[in-house]
Amino acid sequence: MTGTDPDAGSARERSQGLARSLFRVALPRWRGGRYSLSKLFFNFYLLAMGSFVAIAFTADLVISTAQRGITDDYARRFMRGTITLIEDELFRHPRSSWEKKIQTIDEKFSYKLGIVERITLDRKLTPSQVDKLDAGDIAIDHDGDIMYHRLGTSSLVLVVGPLAASRNPEQTDRLPLELRLRLLTWSLIGVIFGIALWFWIRPVWRDLEALRQTARDLGDGDFEARSPAARSQLIAPLSDTMNSMAERVQQLMATHRELSCGISHELRTPIARMRFALEMLTETDDPAERERLWGMMEADLDELDHLIDTSLTYARFEREAPEPHFSSVRFADWLADEVESVRLLGRDLELAVDTSQLPENLAVDLDRKAMPYALRNLLRNAFKYAARQIRVSAELDGERILIHVDDDGIGIPPEEREHVFSAFTRLDRSRDRSTGGYGLGLAIARRVLELHGGSATADAAPLGGARFTLAWQARQ
Ligand code: ATP
Ligand code: MG
C-alpha cells in the first residue's frame, strides 16, 4: 500500500483547492445575502397578506356595488309606510309649525328626523336620486343611510336618518360598530395567517440553513459533509441532489488522490533504477556490461509504459464512469476467443475452458470493449500465480452469468479477498514480489463489473489456488 507517500500531501491539497474553487463559483449568493428567517417571514407575510387584503376589498366593493340597487329598493319599501305616517301627522298642522312638530316626533324615533329646503340637496344627492325626489319618490343618499321625501308640493323635504347611527351621544365619537367588527376580523385573520405561515416557513428555513452549511463545508474542502434529511417536502429533492453530488465529488477526489499517490510511488523504482543504470553506463567501457545496462533501462521504460497504460485505463473506468454499451454475444464462443487471445502469455501452463454447463447457444449481454479488460486481468494474474493449471469455467445461475477463473497457485488468504480489489493493493509475499505489477488489475476488473451492474469476487479454487468470479445479469 502507498498511503504514506510524502507526495500525498501536496496532491491532496491540489485536489481540494480545485474542488474549493468549483464550489466557490456557486457560493457567493449564499454567503453574501444575509437573509434571516425573520426577514424571509416578513417579506412573505407582507406579500401574501397584502394580496389577500387587496383581493378581499375588491371583492367586497364589487359585491356591495352590485347589491346597492337591491338594498335601496328594499329600504324604500320598508320605510314608505313610516314616512307617509310622519307626513300625515305634519300635514295635520300648519306649515309654519312643521319644524317644531318634527322635533317632537323626532324624540320618539331611534333615528334622526328633520326638514330641509329642497334646494340644499342638489349637491348631496346624485342626479338620478334628485330626479326621484322631484318625481315624488323616496331618494336615498349614496351610503344608503339617509332618506329624503318631498313634503307635498312644498319646497321642503323630510329627512329620515342616518338610519344606522346611534343616538347615544357617548357612542357617536367612538368607532362605528361595523368598522370595529371589520378591524377585529382582519386582525384575527392576520394573526392566524401569521402563525400558520410561521409553522410552514420554519422547517423550510431550517432545511435551507442545513443546505447552506453543507455547501459551505464542501466548499471548504470537507467532503464528508452531508445535508441531514430534509423536514420539508419542498427541500427534500434539493438536499438529496446535494448529497449525491457530494458523494460523487468525494469519490472523484478519492480516486484522484489514490491515483496520483499510487502513480508517483510506482514511478520511483524504475526511475531510480534508470538513473543508476545511466551512472553505471558512464563508468564502464565493457561492451557486455553496457549491453546489460541498456537492457535494464529498456525494461524500466517498458514498465513505465505499462504503468501509465494501466493507470489511464483505471482512471477511465473509475473517474469517467462511462456508459456501458451492451451487445448480445454467443457466450461460449466469445469466452473461448477471449481466452485464446491471451493463451500465449501462459505458454507452459495447462489452460482449459469449460462451457459444458451452459445451455446451448446461450446469448449474453455485455460491453464488448470493457468486459475483456476484466477477464484478461484475471487471466494475467492466474498466469503469474498458477503452478501448473488454470481452468476457466462458466455457469448460469438463474438470470446471472458467472465466469470463474481458477488456478492451483498460492491462493489468497480469506481476510485479503476483499482488500485485493482496492487500487494499488498488492499482497506482500515472496511470490507477489517476484511477479511485479501495480495492484490495479483487480480494481479495473471490479469497475468493469460495476459498469455491468454485477460483481467481481475472490474465493478459494477447487484446484487449490485462487478463484476469481465475475457475475452479472445475462439480459440487460
Ligand atoms: P497489475 O494487475 O496492476 O499488473 P497486480 O497483478 O499485482 O498488478 P492485481 O491484479 O490487482 O494487481 O492483484 C492484486 C493482488 O492480489 C496481487 O498483487 C496478488 O497479491 C493478489 N492476487 C491476484 N491474483 C492472484 C492469484 N491468482 N493468486 C494469488 N494471488 C493473487
Ligand atoms: Mg494483475
Side-chain angles (χ1 to χ4, degrees), residues 52-182:
F52 190 45
V53 171
I55 290 169
F57 271 101
T58 318
D60 192 41
L61 192 75
V62 171
I63 292 171
S64 60
T65 315
Q67 270 188 342
R68 170 145 307 148
I70 303 168
T71 40
D72 283 2
D73 202 43
Y74 174 78
R76 236 179 236 120
R77 274 191 283 152
F78 184 74
M79 291 300 288
R80 181 157 288 135
T82 315
I83 290 175
T84 314
L85 286 175
I86 296 170
E87 286 177 0
D88 283 351
E89 180 63 20
L90 288 178
F91 291 151
R92 245 182 266 139
H93 300 273
R95 193 175 151 173
S96 54
S97 62
W98 282 1
E99 278 287 349
K100 224 173 179 182
K101 188 66 201 164
I102 200 79
Q103 276 168 23
T104 10
I105 307 176
D106 174 66
E107 282 160 16
K108 293 174 187 155
F109 279 75
S110 60
Y111 41 81
K112 225 170 123 36
L113 298 178
I115 292 173
V116 294
E117 283 289 340
R118 154 70 186 86
I119 208 87
T120 60
L121 294 176
D122 278 339
R123 262 181 289 127
K124 280 193 186 161
L125 294 175
T126 60
S128 69
Q129 295 296 326
V130 169
D131 291 346
K132 276 205 163 85
L133 186 67
D134 293 341
D137 204 351
I138 298 173
I140 299 179
D141 78 341
H142 70 280
D143 282 336
D145 211 28
I146 306 177
M147 299 193 171
Y148 303 91
H149 191 244
R150 196 150 184 178
L151 288 167
T153 51
S154 71
S155 65
L156 295 177
V157 172
L158 174 67
V159 184
V160 181
L163 297 174
S166 169
R167 306 211 70 170
N168 187 342
E170 280 172 26
Q171 276 183 16
T172 43
D173 52 359
R174 293 237 222 115
L175 287 174
L177 183 66
E178 192 193 328
L179 188 62
R180 275 187 293 156
L181 272 179
R182 265 177 200 249

Side-chain angles (χ1 to χ4, degrees), residues 352-364:
V353 182
D354 177 9
T355 49
S356 59
Q357 304 287 321
L358 293 177
E360 220 160 283
N361 292 331
L362 173 73
V364 167

